[in-house]
Amino acid sequence: MNELEIRKEVDSLQASAEAVKITDALSKQNALEFTRAIKDKIEVVKDHYAPFKKKSYAAWKAVVASETEMLKPLEIAEKIIKSELSRYLTLQEEIANKERARLENIEAAKAAKERARLIKKGLEDEADLVFVKPVVVEQEKTAGVIEKTEITVEITSVKEVCQAVIAGVLPPVIIEINQNKLKSFIKSMCLTSVPGLNIGSQKSVAIRR
């Protein structure tokens, strides 16, 4: 059977399926038999494409393997350089922060001295207008390089994280619930009611050929 013939039968089965309505035991049995015919046709389609998929997959795997082998040294080299850049930029940030703190302390001392001088002269209103001058520490910029500051987060207690969500410190969106494991646990424990969950049931059908 060629691909065109298979296509005609597949389209015909889809059209027939759209007309199926189960209203009694007989129509249910007919639907079951029709489902078996569909499953048989699925196997026909899979068998038809299997040789092509096998050849294509083997060729694809060979290309991917060759590409991966070629890229690996470059990826390692890029990782080394990025790691070194990260170390250098982090060090420069630390140096800049220390310099900023030093200058801020100097400006704070100047402002305190100026306020004290004005107060001594009885100029309290003017003293209240004396603020610490903002400090800007220039850092070197490199064309083509985008610097980002990443944070590291390690979960030390899942329970405390959940409590933080309940308290509103963290948003609920950070918690990713594994639906499959949740359903499996509820089913195995025969639970019918759990706070925060709407537990129901729905029939599914598996047809044996």
Side-chain angles (χ1 to χ4, degrees), residues 14-154:
Q14 180 185 354
S16 298
E18 291 171 353
V20 170
K21 298 294 180 185
I22 301 175
T23 57
D24 52 27
L26 179 60
S27 58
K28 183 187 78 171
Q29 185 60 38
N30 290 336
L32 291 173
E33 293 299 327
F34 185 60
T35 303
R36 293 189 179 95
I38 293 172
K39 292 176 76 67
D40 288 341
K41 192 57 61 181
I42 288 173
E43 293 303 315
V44 171
V45 172
K46 288 182 176 180
D47 290 343
H48 175 76
Y49 284 103
F52 304 105
K53 289 170 67 177
K54 187 175 181 179
K55 290 180 182 178
S56 299
Y57 180 64
W60 176 80
K61 279 186 68 177
V63 171
V64 170
S66 179
E67 179 188 40
T68 300
E69 183 182 5
M70 188 77 74
L71 287 174
K72 189 173 182 180
L74 298 174
E75 291 170 348
I76 292 174
E78 183 183 30
K79 187 175 181 180
I80 291 171
I81 298 301
K82 282 186 173 180
S83 177
E84 180 60 16
L85 280 169
S86 177
R87 183 200 64 78
Y88 173 78
L89 292 172
T90 300
L91 177 61
Q92 295 305 305
E93 181 70 18
E94 291 174 358
I95 292 172
N97 287 338
K98 289 179 181 179
E99 178 63 10
R100 187 179 297 106
R102 186 185 71 83
L103 295 175
E104 285 175 349
N105 288 335
I106 291 173
E107 292 300 328
K110 287 180 180 178
K113 186 177 179 180
E114 179 63 12
R115 280 195 293 268
R117 186 184 70 81
L118 292 171
I119 291 172
K120 188 175 181 180
K121 289 185 175 183
L123 302 174
E124 285 82 0
D125 291 341
E126 292 186 25
D128 291 338
L129 298 177
V130 177
F131 297 98
V132 178
K133 293 181 180 179
V135 173
V136 178
V137 177
E138 294 292 337
Q139 290 182 257
E140 60 180 276
K141 299 293 182 182
T142 304
V145 176
I146 300 175
E147 297 179 20
K148 296 187 295 183
T149 300
E150 300 288 348
I151 65 168
T152 58
V153 178
E154 178 185 1

Side-chain angles (χ1 to χ4, degrees), residues 1-11 41 44-49 52:
M1 184 178 291
N2 60 39
E3 186 170 339
L4 182 59
E5 291 172 332
I6 295 174
R7 168 60 65 183
K8 287 181 179 179
E9 292 190 359
V10 167
D11 291 342
K41 192 57 61 181
V44 171
V45 172
K46 288 182 176 180
D47 290 343
H48 175 76
Y49 284 103
F52 304 105

